[in-house]
Amino acid sequence: MTLKDQLFRRKRSQIVDFAFDEAVAEVFPDMIRRSVPGFETVIPITGLIAAESLPEGGLAFDLGCSQGATTLALLRALGSKPCRIVAVDSSAPMLDRAAANIEDPRVTFRLEDIRQTDVAGASVLLLNYVLQFIPPADRQALLDRCGQAMLPGGLVILSEKIRFSGEADQAWSESLHIAYKKANGYSGLEVSQKREALEKVMLVDTEAEHRRRLEAAGFKTVRTWFRCLNWCSFVAIKD
């Protein structure tokens, strides 16, 4: 049973940095559904896009898999197609739930910092809502390693919260995102306390920065396939 996210419901005397600990893992499905516009569209279509690009017997990585929603979407789209999927996360509470949610011999789970993951031979890499939690100074190196290790023609799906370069566009999108969360039952206190907890942990880039980074890593074909408010998803193909 999914618990309702009430982690920031009561006023806290001190706000600590957000972490994917046991408390967050307990309510994560509800938290992300109520906080990320388009999540319930992005995940199944991610599975569909990835399944179309994964050859029979091919290797896919779900980097920052959290509780396995993207891996499950890929499995559903694949049907019985033979393949290997490696689901990686650095949070033990999240990965434990992914392993409990998925019983499929094609999937293996790895507790690991994705900056250390060897993706050699992969045809598909899935990075849904994870790069924004990697230190900005490490993001290009991570994608460079992926680009070098993947097979030619390999596909990356990258989904992220984005920021806008113009102040007016940024203010408008943030205002609508707050309204979205309130419409999903979060109070103003919950929104503000969670934002403070994420302030130093979740550092977002512009759409142009994501494109430049992917192109520099060898993914010359980059398409924005989804956008909703200040959330975006890209498909990138290695030359």
Side-chain angles (χ1 to χ4, degrees), residues 188-221:
L189 177 64
E190 287 175 294
V191 171
S192 64
Q193 290 194 136
K194 186 180 178 185
R195 179 192 294 173
E196 186 176 347
L198 285 166
E199 188 175 20
K200 298 177 183 177
V201 177
M202 182 179 172
L203 304 174
V204 301
D205 297 310
T206 65
E207 183 175 348
E209 286 170 330
H210 283 298
R211 286 180 168 272
R212 284 196 296 268
R213 194 180 286 129
L214 286 164
E215 289 168 358
F219 301 95
K220 300 305 182 185
T221 300

Side-chain angles (χ1 to χ4, degrees), residues 17-233:
D17 288 347
F18 188 91
F20 292 97
D21 55 17
E22 183 64 34
V24 167
E26 283 187 340
V27 301
F28 185 73
D30 181 66
M31 175 187 287
I32 198 165
R33 180 187 61 80
R34 294 163 65 201
S35 301
V36 179
F39 176 81
E40 291 172 314
T41 297
V42 169
I43 298 304
I45 297 183
T46 290
L48 179 64
I49 297 171
E52 289 294 307
S53 298
L54 188 62
E56 187 166 323
L59 174 62
F61 282 82
D62 184 359
L63 299 175
C65 67
S66 65
Q67 297 188 11
T70 300
T71 294
L72 278 170
L74 176 54
L75 288 169
R76 291 188 185 109
L78 286 168
S80 60
K81 186 176 181 178
C83 68
R84 291 182 294 146
I85 303 171
V86 182
V88 185
D89 207 281
S90 61
S91 165
M94 299 293 271
L95 198 66
D96 287 345
R97 284 167 172 78
N101 289 337
I102 300 169
E103 294 184 7
D104 192 302
R106 293 172 291 179
V107 182
T108 58
F109 300 92
R110 192 179 298 173
L111 181 63
E112 186 173 76
D113 186 325
I114 66 170
R115 290 172 290 181
Q116 307 302 320
T117 300
D118 181 3
V119 299
S123 294
V124 169
L125 296 182
L126 306 172
L127 295 105
N128 276 336
Y129 313 113
V130 61
L131 198 68
Q132 58 206 17
F133 292 104
I134 299 295
D138 295 342
R139 294 174 187 177
Q140 187 66 61
L142 168 61
L143 292 178
D144 287 347
R145 288 180 59 250
C146 291
Q148 292 162 8
M150 290 187 75
L151 295 177
L155 177 137
V156 168
I157 297 178
L158 173 69
S159 305
E160 293 278 293
K161 184 179 182 182
I162 60 169
R163 61 180 173 83
F164 294 86
S165 53
E167 290 185 9
D169 287 339
Q170 178 63 18
W172 179 79
S173 69
E174 282 292 340
S175 176
L176 283 176
H177 189 205
I178 290 171
Y180 174 86
K181 289 185 282 190
K182 288 182 176 179
N184 281 325
Y186 285 118
S187 67
L189 177 64
E190 287 175 294
V191 171
S192 64
Q193 290 194 136
K194 186 180 178 185
R195 179 192 294 173
E196 186 176 347
L198 285 166
E199 188 175 20
K200 298 177 183 177
V201 177
M202 182 179 172
L203 304 174
V204 301
D205 297 310
T206 65
E207 183 175 348
E209 286 170 330
H210 283 298
R211 286 180 168 272
R212 284 196 296 268
R213 194 180 286 129
L214 286 164
E215 289 168 358
F219 301 95
K220 300 305 182 185
T221 300
V222 181
R223 298 185 176 98
T224 301
W225 71 269
F226 179 88
R227 185 187 290 107
C228 183
L229 303 182
N230 47 352
W231 297 82
C232 203
S233 189

